[in-house]
Amino acid sequence: HEISKNILRCLALVSGPGSTKDDRLISSALIHASIGGTARNSVQDSLPNHLLQAFDDENLDADSRLKSICESIEESAARMPNCWNVVAMTICPTGDLLVSSIRSAGGNDV
């Protein structure tokens, strides 16, 4: 499990912030997938079933999982107040600090 976290974090590092919305969503999804499993499990019952399922669904292949996580991030924008800024930080095995910041751009856009 620790190896998969480190792989996701290294992929996020080499993906970088990207220049398009899709690139940024993918980097953010990789960071979020590598952290917070315990927290996701504790709040999962209070959210729609599908919203957090993709983060830990071992039945999905890597591409499907990443796509599903990106969709969950976009869907969460509709549930998030416009004034919120969700930040996730983690350390990459290389020692680099990875930061993902998500905020609603209005409507369902992030």
Side-chain angles (χ1 to χ4, degrees), residues 3 6 19 21 24 26 34 40 42 51-52 55 57-58 60 68 73 78 87 89 96-97 99 101 106 109-110:
I3 292 174
N6 287 339
S19 58
K21 176 184 169 185
R24 291 187 295 272
I26 289 170
S34 78
R40 282 193 299 275
S42 66
L51 195 58
L52 296 177
F55 286 91
D57 191 345
E58 295 178 5
L60 295 174
S68 189
I73 289 172
V87 177
M89 296 189 307
D96 294 284
L97 178 65
V99 180
S101 175
D109 204 14
V110 283

Side-chain angles (χ1 to χ4, degrees), residues 1-55:
H1 194 77
E2 189 66 31
I3 292 174
S4 62
K5 286 182 188 180
N6 287 339
I7 290 169
L8 291 169
R9 292 172 186 174
C10 287
L11 286 171
L13 179 65
V14 298
S15 296
S19 58
T20 68
K21 176 184 169 185
D22 286 344
D23 291 341
R24 291 187 295 272
L25 272 173
I26 289 170
S27 294
S28 182
L30 290 166
I31 292 170
H32 284 269
S34 78
I35 62 174
T38 303
R40 282 193 299 275
N41 289 335
S42 66
V43 300
Q44 190 158 359
D45 292 337
S46 64
L47 296 171
N49 291 338
H50 66 283
L51 195 58
L52 296 177
Q53 179 182 5
F55 286 91

Side-chain angles (χ1 to χ4, degrees), residues 26 64 70:
I26 289 170
S64 298
C70 289

